[in-house]
């Protein structure tokens, strides 16, 4: 059974940092690209970042480029999101998502999400 | 970056109705378009990918179509569990942008 479990969320002050983790199980993690997607309160889904299976191809949404870093450790079946210089508008529920095998952008399984609140 | 524009932003309908949501891409994305359903408190659910391919387990009342820059998601015979928000996403190239969403409400 595929499982994605996010952790590391919480309250952070503007300008500070936070690291999110996503532990994967039930599939061969090292063979899949992975993604972070967020949803701010009352807003829509926003694609945040994606990373290829071997970390050779990485991309970010415009609103987090230069502040967030996505990474992975295939030996630990884990995905990470290092969030620096946090802003109040980064407050959101952050989802880790796995794509379908042959279509790296199509997200067929999602974690339950981890809440990040940025407030002074 | 590719911009995705959905319409309408919200729509009211009754159980049994048929509803169509549209999604336009700012550039040609061929058939690289996915649709998701989002209900409060739940993770998003993949409905359609490749513009028209139904994800396994999704009821056949959901139909996706389109190519290039214009796409639609049609729900025929609305069921109570279908009242949710729907998002399109271009899966053609990084960044994989979402549309702003369409909220389907009960009339």
């Amino acid at each position: 059974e595929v499982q994605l479990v996010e952790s590391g969320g919480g309250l952070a002050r503007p300008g500070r940092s936070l690291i999110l983790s996503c532990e994967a199980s039930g599939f061969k993690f090292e063979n899949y690209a992975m993604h972070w997607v967020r949803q701010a309160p009352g807003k829509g889904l926003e694609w945040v970042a994606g990373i290829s299976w071997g970390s050779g191809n990485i991309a970010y949404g415009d609103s987090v480029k230069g502040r967030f870093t996505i990474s992975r450790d295939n030996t630990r079946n884990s995905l990470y999101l290092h969030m620096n210089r946090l802003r109040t508008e980064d407050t959101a529920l952050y989802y880790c998502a796995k794509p379908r095998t042959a279509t790296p952008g199509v997200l067929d399984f999602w974690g339950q999400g981890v809440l990040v609140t940025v407030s002074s | 970056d590719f911009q995705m524009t959905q319409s309408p932003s919200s729509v009211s309908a009754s159980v049994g109705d048929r509803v169509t949501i549209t999604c336009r891409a700012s550039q040609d994305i061929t058939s690289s378009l996915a649709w998701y359903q989002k209900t409060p408190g739940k993770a998003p659910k993949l409905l359609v990918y490749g513009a028209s391919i139904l994800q396994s387990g999704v009821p056949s009342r959901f139909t996706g179509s389109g190519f290039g820059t214009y796409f639609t998601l049609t729900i025929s015979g609305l069921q109570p569990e279908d009242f949710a928000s729907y998002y399109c996403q271009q899966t053609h190239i990084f960044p994989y942008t979402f549309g702003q969403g369409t909220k389907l409400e009960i009339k």
Side-chain angles (χ1 to χ4, degrees):
Chain A
E1 179 195 4
V2 173
Q3 285 201 348
L4 296 171
V5 180
E6 302 97 337
S7 62
L11 174 65
R13 303 295 186 206
R16 303 303 290 264
S17 300
L18 212 55
I19 301 174
L20 303 184
S21 300
C22 171
E23 186 170 339
S25 60
F27 65 102
K28 208 164 176 62
F29 180 76
E30 63 192 21
N31 287 353
Y32 288 81
M34 292 295 293
H35 302 262
W36 289 100
V37 176
R38 70 185 182 183
Q39 185 173 33
K43 304 290 187 182
L45 298 177
E46 180 186 10
W47 184 86
V48 173
I51 185 169
S52 61
W53 61 272
S55 304
N57 193 13
I58 289 174
Y60 300 94
D62 287 346
S63 62
V64 307
K65 205 174 293 183
R67 299 187 301 120
F68 288 13
T69 301
I70 188 172
S71 64
R72 64 190 296 161
D73 184 342
N74 288 343
T75 66
R76 296 177 184 271
N77 289 343
S78 292
L79 177 72
Y80 305 101
L81 187 67
H82 296 241
M83 304 185 294
N84 297 320
R85 304 201 308 276
L86 283 162
R87 304 169 180 168
T88 54
E89 54 264 36
D90 295 320
T91 294
L93 189 61
Y94 285 74
Y95 293 100
C96 164
K98 165 198 163 293
R100 294 185 69 255
T101 306
T103 46
V106 179
L107 308 177
D108 70 347
F109 195 86
W110 302 60
Q112 286 305 302
V114 61
L115 184 63
V116 171
T117 303
V118 183
S119 174
S120 54
Chain B
D1 293 354
F2 290 68
Q3 307 302 317
M4 307 301 293
T5 304
Q6 280 181 240
S7 62
S9 56
S10 66
V11 58
S12 296
S14 301
V15 172
D17 284 354
R18 186 169 92 161
V19 167
T20 296
I21 300 167
T22 65
C23 179
R24 293 181 186 270
S26 60
Q27 301 177 58
D28 186 350
I29 58 170
T30 63
S31 60
S32 302
L33 192 284
W35 290 96
Y36 300 86
Q37 179 190 64
K38 179 71 173 70
T39 52
K42 292 188 176 180
K45 176 185 177 182
L46 174 65
L47 299 174
V48 170
Y49 63 95
S52 61
I53 302 171
L54 208 61
Q55 170 72 347
S56 175
V58 174
S60 58
R61 62 180 180 272
F62 290 90
T63 306
S65 67
F67 188 88
T69 62
Y70 183 78
F71 302 88
T72 61
L73 176 70
T74 298
I75 313 170
S76 302
L78 279 168
Q79 297 299 301
E81 61 267 29
D82 298 337
F83 292 93
S85 293
Y86 293 85
Y87 295 88
C88 64
Q89 179 208 16
Q90 67 85 8
T91 60
H92 189 64
I93 193 170
F94 275 153
Y96 294 136
T97 41
F98 287 91
Q100 77 275 24
T102 296
K103 187 173 184 179
L104 175 54
E105 299 173 300
I106 299 178
K107 188 182 289 183

